[in-house]
Amino acid sequence: MIHASVDVRPASEKDLEAINDIYNHYVAETHVTFDDEPMTMEVRREWFSHYAEAGRHRLMVATESGQVAGYASSSRFRPKPGYLTSVETSVYLSPDAVGKGVGARLYTELFKSLEGEDLHRAYAGIALPNPASIALHEKFAFKRVALFTEQGRKFGRYWDVAWFEKPLGGET
Ligand SMILES: CC(C)(COP(=O)(O)OP(=O)(O)OC[C@H]1O[C@@H](n2cnc3c(N)ncnc32)[C@H](O)[C@@H]1OP(=O)(O)O)[C@@H](O)C(=O)NCCC(=O)NCCS
């Protein structure tokens, strides 16, 4: 069910407002991210400075009829240099774009772009429940390796987070 008119490309500065709007919807309405205040554009621009069109840390956007429908990123897992061969991946779609294969298109292009990079593991932390995100990550060969119970608190309650891992670079 892949939407023929969806295009996936590296993100540019012009996409940041749309990216921020998508993300802030999930901040306000859901537990899938543990941010609890809308991200400002200033913070968003600083965040964008960590990505490039080469290297380990990439940001892809999906567009449909010129509108940003979602984005996917590979980010530093932790700041210490020994973690550089690990990335944390993340994907968010506009609410009207979910369930149409756009997440899979974004991950396909993201992981294609990372081929040949000096990377060994990708991780995704999924606050539960989130069946769509689990299905997407399992489709891309992520395996659940941990369940952290009550790892985050939002909306006055605690949430479990399942951590998923995917080997990269052709070796396990
Ligand atoms: C999670 C998300 C990125 C998935 O992207 P998507 O475009 O909706 O998913 P796709 O249509 O590409 O589907 C990928 C797979 O998941 C399955 N899937 C999608 N939604 C599902 C659901 N609600 N329940 C079970 N499986 C689901 C699809 O059937 C597909 O598997 P298949 O190819 O074997 O049929 C998207 O739903 C989203 O942005 N959700 C809100 C934000 C979010 O939770 N982000 C992740 C934070 S960890």
Side-chain angles (χ1 to χ4, degrees):
M1 263 222 307
I2 293 174
H3 236 259
S5 58
V6 171
D7 179 52
V8 177
R9 57 165 171 77
S12 80
E13 185 127 24
K14 290 195 216 77
D15 302 314
L16 293 184
E17 292 226 15
I19 285 173
N20 211 36
D21 287 347
I22 290 170
Y23 183 73
N24 283 339
H25 163 79
Y26 293 103
V27 172
E29 304 293 336
T30 75
H31 67 282
V32 303
T33 168
F34 291 156
D35 270 328
D36 58 2
E37 294 287 340
M39 189 176 287
T40 64
M41 281 306 295
E42 193 186 350
V43 172
R44 180 61 68 186
R45 276 189 281 271
E46 198 280 329
W47 170 88
F48 181 60
S49 71
H50 296 268
Y51 301 97
E53 288 192 33
R56 300 174 171 110
H57 306 130
R58 310 250 184 164
L59 178 62
M60 310 295 287
V61 287
T63 61
E64 194 175 5
S65 312
Q67 301 282 90
V68 175
Y71 65 98
S73 56
S74 62
S75 313
R76 275 189 92 124
F77 177 65
R78 286 191 171 189
K80 292 175 185 167
Y83 285 117
L84 269 174
T85 53
S86 291
V87 285
E88 185 169 350
T89 60
S90 183
V91 50
Y92 288 90
L93 306 185
S94 161
D96 55 6
V98 302
K100 298 191 283 188
V102 179
R105 281 285 305 277
L106 275 162
Y107 258 8
T108 298
E109 296 305 322
L110 178 69
F111 288 113
K112 210 186 281 177
S113 79
L114 295 177
E115 281 170 15
E117 296 297 338
D118 181 20
L119 283 170
H120 196 56
R121 290 289 184 267
Y123 295 97
I126 303 178
L128 302 180
N130 194 340
S133 186
I134 289 174
L136 175 69
H137 285 87
E138 287 181 338
K139 184 179 171 72
F140 282 82
F142 281 78
K143 299 257 184 303
R144 183 167 136 172
V145 289
L147 176 70
F148 287 13
T149 66
E150 302 193 349
Q151 194 177 30
R153 187 171 66 191
K154 186 171 179 183
F155 303 141
R157 57 155 285 192
Y158 292 99
W159 303 88
D160 294 347
V161 180
W163 281 88
F164 284 74
E165 178 183 84
K166 173 182 166 68
L168 296 175
E171 282 176 43
T172 57

